[in-house]
């Protein structure tokens, strides 16, 4: 078990209302969890709690079996990387190379190995031709890719994607989503993606949907993403393919090849 | 009337080899158009619209915006241009600064010389047009949700009562419900006022549902100007210019490939695809 939330509630000091209300969920090592919710549903607060940037008002958070508290937060934080929404807010280096090197330097890695690793990670995120470029001159998608290479360089076990595609164009979004799959398969990273794009939850092992600080749905993508009424009530909208499946299932007149069409729509949606 | 581009070229400097806009010819009516501009990042979409209200001036060629010839001259008056053509940038809520919603929406008309009372009237009208309720007009804009703040910013541009409203990716960063609400409001506003709407978007599902006319930009050139049906039928063209299909079209092609459905015209929306699957009208 990589992360476990036990009855976690959170409210800001002096506020009446809880932002998160009695959340319990867990994330297995090497798995991918998608947290869905509309803007303001409290989903980004979860990321801040995991990173130890906020403390639960009540309840407990465990990271690899250890209870998250002030004493160990610095040690635990080294296991985590986060990719933020705004690609402009996360650079430390003046060149792409420096930025990736920053994480490696923190781990006191010998120079030869460092050069080899920078190349490896830059190649992985397809930024090997931009090593001497200033990150400021890159497109949004390229910036996010450099940030991912930075997280890899820090050798974190967990990478949190906090709305990290919401400012990107469709091409950038697709690239980041493909990269997430590579991080899982080839680097066995644990992934948490926080998003309001239902498409991004399709590849997760588990999906939770948040509304008003509470978990309203919890299950596999196939189970969760077809719950039209609850998703709508949570400010989200069905993916077109799944919406069509629901429309076909609710249609009372006979449809030719009905079951085959439904099956094919699932497959096509998951391939997208 | 409206906007006219003839052989328009734009470079950032005389010596630059790259043309940001390359031989653009275009006419946009002052009324009733609903145009969406697509093209991948860096194709010149934003540069194009910035020529429509004088934020940028052409390096060569001619642009006429209503009565104004947009030439590089000290005498050019941009004020009347901007009364005709309003432009809303990406993430416009970053530019909100007044202490109440109403004050923020009034800023534009006041800036264009309206009295306080006139500005207030225009602001309230604009707020209603874009679905801002009276009870939030006296609130601080910074207590609003992202979707509401964006509407306030759009109302600020509408309050000048432009004939043409240009929006650069108005739905980016909004959650699905915020996106849907904003698009519905823009469509309703367009239908009520007949204002021409020009919108930059990457979202082919929105293009497939709403566009009356689509402009495709690629490497500074206007490579397509026409309806969405013809655009999405032409697979080779879409591939050449790196454009995606709407989700429903991708699903339709997948189903057809498996021999599960047949159609003459490629469905562009979920509803059209449902019609093909059932041979009926969707019961929504």
């Amino acid at each position: 078990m990589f992360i476990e939330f036990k009855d976690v509630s959170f409210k800001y000091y002096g506020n009446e209302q809880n932002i998160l209300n009695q959340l319990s969920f867990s994330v297995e090592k090497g798995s991918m969890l998608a947290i869905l919710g509309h803007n303001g549903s409290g989903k980004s607060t979860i990321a801040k709690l995991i990173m130890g940037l906020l403390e639960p008002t009540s309840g407990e958070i465990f990271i690899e079996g250890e209870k998250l508290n002030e004493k160990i937060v610095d040690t635990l934080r080294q296991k985590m990387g986060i990719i933020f929404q705004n690609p402009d807010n996360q650079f430390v280096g003046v060149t792409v190379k420096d930025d990736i090197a920053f994480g490696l330097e923190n781990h006191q890695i010998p120079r030869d190995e460092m050069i080899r690793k920078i190349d490896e990670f830059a190649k992985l995120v397809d930024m090997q031709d931009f090593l001497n470029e200033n990150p400021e001159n890159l497109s949004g998608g390229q910036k996010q890719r450099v940030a991912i290479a930075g997280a890899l360089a820090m050798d974190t076990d967990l990478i949190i994607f906090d709305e990290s595609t919401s400012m990107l164009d469709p091409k950038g979004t697709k690239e980041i989503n493909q990269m997430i799959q590579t991080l899982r398969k080839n680097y066995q990273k644990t992934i948490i993606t926080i998003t309001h794009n239902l498409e991004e939850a399709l590849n997760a092992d588990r999906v939770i949907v948040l509304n008003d600080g509470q978990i309203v749905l919890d299950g596999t993508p196939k189970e969760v993403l077809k719950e039209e009424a609850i998703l709508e009530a949570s400010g989200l909208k069905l993916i077109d393919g799944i919406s069509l499946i629901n429309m076909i299932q609710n249609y009372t007149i006979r449809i030719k090849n009905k079951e085959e069409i439904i099956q094919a729509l699932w497959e096509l949606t998951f391939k997208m | 009337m409206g906007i006219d581009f003839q052989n328009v070229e734009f470079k950032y400097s005389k010596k630059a080899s790259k043309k940001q806009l390359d031989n653009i010819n275009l006419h946009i009516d002052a009324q009733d158009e609903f145009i969406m501009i697509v093209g991948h990042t860096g194709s010149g979409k934003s540069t194009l619209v910035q020529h429509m209200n004088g934020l940028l001036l052409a390096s060569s060629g001619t642009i006429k915006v209503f009565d104004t010839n947009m030439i590089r001259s000290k005498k050019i008056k941009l004020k009347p241009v901007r009364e005709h053509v309003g432009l809303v940038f990406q993430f416009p809520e970053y530019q909100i600064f007044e202490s109440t919603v109403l004050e923020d929406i009034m800023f534009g008309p006041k800036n264009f010389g309206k009295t306080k009372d006139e500005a207030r009237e225009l602001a309230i009208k604009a707020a209603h047009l874009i679905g801002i309720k009276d009870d939030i007009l006296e609130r601080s804009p910074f207590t609003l949700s992202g979707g509401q703040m964006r509407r306030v910013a759009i109302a600020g541009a509408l309050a000048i009562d432009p004939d043409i409203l240009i929006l650069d990716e108005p739905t980016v960063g909004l959650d699905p419900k915020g996106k849907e609400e904003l698009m519905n409001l823009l469509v309703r506003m367009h239908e009520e006022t007949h204002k021409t709407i020009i919108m930059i978007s990457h979202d082919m599902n929105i293009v497939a549902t709403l566009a009356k006319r689509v402009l495709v930009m690629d490497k500074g050139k206007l490579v397509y100007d026409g309806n969405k049906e013809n655009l999405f039928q032409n697979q080779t063209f879409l591939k050449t210019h790196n454009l995606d299909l709407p989700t429903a079209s991708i699903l339709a092609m997948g189903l057809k490939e498996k021999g599960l459905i047949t159609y003459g015209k490629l469905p562009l929306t979920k509803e059209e695809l449902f019609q093909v699957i059932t041979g009926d009208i969707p019961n929504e």
Side-chain angles (χ1 to χ4, degrees):
Chain A
M1 199 71 67
F2 196 87
I3 294 173
E4 196 173 5
F5 270 53
K6 274 191 180 162
D7 293 324
V8 172
S9 295
F10 177 80
K11 63 178 173 193
Y12 281 103
Y13 182 77
N15 278 21
E16 293 269 306
Q17 215 183 344
N18 278 350
I19 290 180
L20 297 176
N21 221 337
Q22 302 253 314
L23 293 200
S24 294
F25 66 88
S26 56
V27 188
E28 310 256 345
K29 207 175 172 97
S31 75
M32 175 174 174
L33 170 74
I35 302 175
L36 295 175
H38 63 83
N39 296 345
S41 61
K43 59 190 192 301
S44 283
T45 308
I46 296 181
K48 291 185 186 130
L49 287 165
I50 296 171
M51 300 289 288
L53 301 172
L54 294 173
E55 253 184 277
T57 310
S58 65
E60 292 168 322
I61 299 169
F62 295 89
I63 313 258
E64 291 207 308
E66 285 191 80
K67 191 178 163 200
L68 189 62
N69 61 35
E70 249 174 70
K71 276 180 218 143
I72 58 162
V73 68
D74 284 339
T75 332
L76 286 178
R77 208 178 280 159
Q78 284 178 18
K79 297 179 195 241
M80 312 170 193
I82 185 160
I83 315 295
F84 292 103
Q85 175 179 28
N86 190 334
D88 292 326
N89 292 348
Q90 48 198 0
F91 290 105
V92 284
V94 268
T95 64
V96 168
K97 193 169 34 181
D98 285 352
D99 206 78
I100 304 174
F102 178 79
L104 297 168
E105 280 166 356
N106 274 0
H107 284 259
Q108 296 166 347
I109 287 169
R111 191 181 150 77
D112 287 353
E113 201 190 328
M114 197 152 118
I115 294 170
R116 196 179 54 73
K117 287 217 155 174
I118 291 173
D119 281 346
E120 179 195 336
F121 297 142
K123 233 174 239 158
L124 176 79
V125 298
D126 201 19
M127 289 299 290
Q128 65 273 30
D129 298 336
F130 298 87
L131 281 173
N132 295 314
E133 200 65 53
N134 183 334
E136 278 182 32
N137 299 332
L138 304 176
S139 74
Q142 289 172 328
K143 285 176 187 168
Q144 293 300 60
R145 271 145 54 192
V146 174
I148 293 173
L152 279 169
M154 302 284 261
D155 200 23
T156 56
D157 297 323
L158 168 73
I159 303 181
I160 301 173
F161 290 83
D162 188 3
E163 301 266 6
S164 41
T165 61
S166 72
M167 288 168 86
L168 303 184
D169 62 17
K171 189 165 160 267
T173 303
K174 220 179 260 173
E175 285 167 2
I176 299 302
N177 287 332
Q178 281 164 359
M179 217 142 278
I180 290 177
Q181 296 316 309
T182 312
L183 295 177
R184 286 174 70 191
K185 286 182 191 127
N186 303 353
Y187 290 81
Q188 285 79 46
K189 301 287 180 194
T190 306
I191 308 279
I192 297 180
T193 177
I194 297 172
T195 177
H196 54 236
N197 284 334
L198 273 60
E199 286 88 351
E200 287 174 36
L202 283 168
N203 287 310
D205 298 297
R206 184 168 171 192
V207 184
I208 60 180
V209 177
L210 225 58
N211 193 16
D212 286 335
Q214 302 205 22
I215 295 178
V216 291
L217 286 171
D218 181 349
T220 63
K222 227 174 159 172
E223 290 161 356
V224 167
L225 297 179
K226 67 175 168 51
E227 292 294 335
E228 185 161 6
I230 303 175
L231 289 171
E232 290 264 343
S234 308
L236 302 169
K237 260 188 70 189
L238 286 189
I239 299 171
D240 274 359
I242 299 179
S243 170
L244 264 170
I245 292 170
N246 285 354
M247 283 158 82
I248 294 169
Q249 272 168 345
N250 294 335
Y251 194 71
T252 46
I253 302 167
R254 209 184 83 86
I255 295 173
K256 210 178 124 198
N257 303 326
K258 183 171 174 177
E259 292 313 314
E260 290 89 340
I261 288 175
I262 290 173
Q263 180 61 29
L265 284 172
W266 276 120
E267 283 166 20
L268 290 164
T269 298
F270 275 94
K271 253 203 314 211
M272 240 177 241
Chain B
M1 280 298 169
I3 301 173
D4 261 305
F5 279 54
Q6 272 178 28
N7 311 320
V8 169
E9 192 177 296
F10 178 72
K11 297 200 262 186
Y12 278 115
S13 74
K14 267 193 184 143
K15 283 182 197 147
S17 58
K18 196 179 167 201
K19 293 173 185 169
Q20 305 295 326
L21 291 183
D22 191 354
N23 196 27
I24 306 279
N25 290 287
L26 183 65
H27 173 80
I28 291 169
D29 280 340
Q31 269 199 336
D32 285 320
E33 294 228 55
F34 204 106
I35 301 175
M36 301 198 65
I37 306 179
V38 302
H40 59 90
T41 307
S43 58
K45 305 184 294 290
S46 295
T47 311
L48 179 71
V49 298
Q50 285 172 22
H51 280 78
M52 294 179 184
N53 83 338
L55 275 176
L56 292 172
L57 294 168
S59 308
S60 69
T62 55
I63 299 176
K64 201 172 172 195
V65 179
F66 289 79
D67 295 322
T68 309
N69 285 310
M70 308 293 283
I71 41 167
R72 287 173 189 262
S73 143
K74 279 180 187 153
K75 281 185 203 149
I76 182 171
K77 288 199 173 65
L78 289 173
K79 210 175 129 188
V81 169
R82 290 179 184 158
E83 278 177 309
H84 284 299
V85 183
L87 176 60
V88 181
F89 291 100
Q90 267 186 50
F91 297 100
E93 58 275 20
Y94 292 170
Q95 293 161 40
I96 287 175
F97 56 90
E98 293 280 5
S99 55
T100 70
V101 168
L102 185 63
E103 296 268 345
D104 201 86
I105 304 174
M106 282 166 64
F107 179 82
K110 276 200 314 209
N111 207 24
F112 277 91
K114 303 285 183 205
T115 67
K116 220 177 161 190
D117 286 342
E118 287 167 340
R120 177 189 300 271
E121 202 172 301
L122 285 163
I124 292 172
K125 203 174 137 203
H128 290 168
L129 272 177
I130 201 76
I132 297 169
K133 300 224 168 69
D134 284 338
D135 59 332
I136 71 162
L137 287 175
E138 292 306 324
R139 271 172 63 179
S140 160
F142 303 101
T143 62
L144 305 178
S145 73
Q148 284 175 318
M149 266 170 86
R150 188 155 308 171
R151 272 189 237 167
V152 171
I154 294 171
L158 269 177
I160 297 157
D161 197 23
D163 299 280
I164 298 178
L165 184 67
I166 306 173
L167 304 115
D168 193 347
E169 296 211 57
T171 61
V172 121
L174 296 183
D175 57 35
K177 196 170 244 172
K179 222 177 249 192
E180 192 180 31
E181 280 170 2
L182 181 58
M183 289 313 301
N184 288 342
L185 286 162
L186 285 170
V187 169
R188 199 190 69 189
M189 189 266 288
H190 166 73
E191 281 166 357
E192 272 176 30
T193 62
H194 300 278
K195 287 184 196 300
T196 283
I197 308 280
I198 303 170
M199 193 182 296
I200 294 178
S201 180
H202 278 113
D203 190 331
M204 292 304 170
N205 293 332
I206 298 181
V207 176
T209 325
L210 298 178
K212 290 184 187 168
R213 175 178 172 192
V214 186
L215 307 179
V216 179
M217 293 295 293
D218 194 8
K219 299 190 188 80
K221 288 195 168 86
L222 177 61
V223 293
Y224 181 87
D225 179 355
N227 66 25
K228 56 186 182 242
E229 287 79 11
N230 288 338
L231 173 68
F232 289 124
Q233 298 297 332
N234 193 340
Q235 305 307 315
T236 334
F237 180 86
L238 294 173
K239 220 166 246 161
T240 313
H241 299 289
N242 274 315
L243 297 174
D244 292 326
L245 276 167
T247 311
S249 304
I250 299 172
L251 295 172
M253 287 164 71
L255 293 177
K256 192 180 184 184
E257 208 170 287
K258 288 177 198 279
L260 292 169
I261 56 168
T262 53
Y263 51 79
K265 218 181 81 200
L266 178 68
L268 302 184
T269 63
K270 172 178 90 179
E271 286 73 20
E272 286 172 18
L273 176 53
F274 188 66
Q275 237 171 317
V276 168
I277 292 171
T278 59
D280 199 4
I281 313 271
N283 50 356
E284 279 207 352

